[in-house]
Amino acid sequence: MDEMEEELKCPVCGSFYREPIILPCSHNICLACARNILVQTPEAESPQSSRASGSGVSDYDYLDLDKMSLYSEADSGYGSYGGFVSAPTTPCQKSPNGVRVFPPTVPQPPPQQHLLPHPGCLPPIPRNSCITCPQCHRSLILDDRGLRGFPKNRVLEGVVDRYQQSKAAALKCQLCEKSPKEATVMCEQCDVFYCDPCRLRCHPPRGPLAKHRLVPPAQGRISRRASPRKISTCTEHELENLSMYCVQCKTPVCYQCLEEGKHGTHEVKALGAMWKLHKGQLSQALNGLSDRATEAKEFLVQLRNMVQHIQENGVEFEACLVAQCDALIDALNRRKAQLLAQVNKEHEHKLKVVRDQISHCTVKLRQTTGLMEYCLEVIKENDPSGFLQISDALIRRVHMTEGQWGKGTLTPRMTSDFDLTLDSGPLLQTIHQLDFVQMKVPAAPMLQLEECCTQNNSATLSWKQPPLSTIVVEGYILELDDGNGGPFREVYVGTETICTVDGLHFNSTYKSRVKAFNASGVGQYSKTLIMQTSEIAWFTFDPASAHPDIVFSNDNLTVSCNSYDDRVVMGNSAFSRGVHYWEMTVDRYDNHPDPAFGLARGDVLKDVMLGKDDKAWAMYVDNNRSWFMHNNSHTNRTDGGIAKGTTIGVLLDFTRGILIFLINDEQQGPVAFEGLEGTYYPAISLNRNVQVTLHTGLPIPDFYTPGEADPNSSVC
């Protein structure tokens, strides 16, 4: 009920409707508010001058006044009496509901006070008054009746009254003897309000009372206080009751309107019948709206759940981000420790080398200094003979010692600089480029069932990602089983979202599924779709795989040849399972050629007679006899040839692995070939003397009973 409150408030004053009237645009407004937003138009544009122009349009046939809108060029307006009107450019104001309204030409009391005098004492409406709907901004000029020309919305007024009554005060139990308690239910059949103790004592849910309908007190009050139907009177003829409904004008009318007014030639119906009809239409429309409202409620629940999930996922994601950054910091600290260890090692090495050189130079310098001091003391001696005895040796020692201080001796073996430079540029660049990337595998795709289908022995599948999925998809993997309950196998990997798989088994049930992948991995499978291929094979000759000398016609069902040599043409469908039968009619047969009919692998030779290589199994036939041939081996010569109009039948049974030929519905010879396994194409070879037409989709001949499939046989 609370949601309905906005429907019961006037767009001008913002309060509940009081004496609402219906504007021609179907919007409602309080009668007092309508008086407050009236605007007086210039005298030159009065309704009388418009009527004087000779127009015969009815009072409420309003014209488009977009160019003369009271608001802007984008607004549209209403005119009356068949003439265009121009509205004054009066400044507009806003109501408590935020709707723009025009102020009255003379001071008026505030709209929300509803200061309405007695209807008989209403001041007269100024001539040439104009009113603008506060909701759709359409304008019209009032006629001589003024606001009385608008019908009162008694239905809306009654709903407002009942709504206000339901909100007035709490209902009390009618059976409490002292200090009545607040009622909790109301019985529609008993028309009594009960509190919980009185309901259990006086209205137990058993016996005849079990069928009574208990409703909340507010709903019971509304139903109890529903006002009786009021008899409406005509706005044109105030003494006449509304008794009919004008279908063309879509408004209730009185008897006098039909006799004298503009509705005399219109189609009318009984008011009660149209009342029930429109109630039914409104109820039916409400059903659809109720469904949308239910969906909206479910959607809101889904959104609220999403809010909770977003919060939970946000906390989880933040924790994951902190953990990842901490892991990076830990890795950087470990690397820092390793680099510091390397620097310390280099530091110790340099110190050791320099200290060793210092120690070596110190010892050598001490020796040199000692030698120098000794030589100086020797020089001080005055004994020539003694000096000469040692001078040569000392001179040699001095030169030798001087040589030991030669080039490089006084050069440091190690520099004080560290020849190490930390290359942090790439790491800093990587840190600056550190950003969020796709970290989740794609969601399971959704198979679009309306686009998935089978045709003959081909299956087309279509899929898409879920609507709310934002995860990047790099490709899809489509899988099918073998049509016999076996394991799934990949049949397509790529970026497309639709795929047609050819060469499936006829009359087989396939299971299919698809999954998406990206750099993070492979997502979940979609739901499994079960598809049934055609029970009977429909196919034509295949121009793509035929020899260039083959000539096609009749939608690739009829073939002939341009060469005198035999040329091979195959069907566009392959068989590997089931029982299949097709026929070919000889349309032209000249000079007794030897056409061949049968099966072939996809890589059969196309420029020799069918059966010459090991890729074909055939029966070739002339006008008198036939032979079976495979790998150029001729067997089972049988009497009976062909002519123009002859029908050749081919029966392939994979359940037994055999091939049988027929001529004019009679089996030609014994079983032609046995042990057939794998995939085969229908095929024939012919030259320019023969023309053949293919017939497919045929039932198995009556004389033949298919065998049971060998459970141990393998099928490609």
Side-chain angles (χ1 to χ4, degrees), residues 77-95:
Y78 283 104
S80 67
Y81 303 105
F84 287 100
V85 298
S86 61
T89 57
T90 306
C92 64
Q93 299 176 349
K94 286 191 176 181
S95 73

Side-chain angles (χ1 to χ4, degrees), residues 508-526:
S508 299
T509 300
Y510 285 89
K511 295 179 180 178
S512 58
R513 62 188 185 185
V514 64
K515 59 184 177 181
F517 65 87
N518 58 17
S520 299
V522 180
Q524 296 293 323
Y525 284 106
S526 67

Side-chain angles (χ1 to χ4, degrees), residues 137-152:
H137 310 313
R138 301 219 171 184
S139 306
L140 81 140
I141 296 176
L142 274 62
D143 58 13
D144 295 335
R145 295 172 296 169
L147 295 177
R148 291 177 300 174
F150 299 122
K152 294 183 178 180

Side-chain angles (χ1 to χ4, degrees), residues 30 284 386 476:
C30 297
Q284 186 175 2
Y476 299 93

Side-chain angles (χ1 to χ4, degrees), residues 650-670:
V650 181
L651 177 59
L652 174 61
D653 185 356
F654 280 104
T655 61
R656 295 177 177 175
I658 62 175
L659 180 64
I660 298 174
F661 294 98
L662 295 86
I663 295 181
N664 293 331
D665 299 328
E666 297 291 336
Q667 183 172 337
Q668 183 74 359

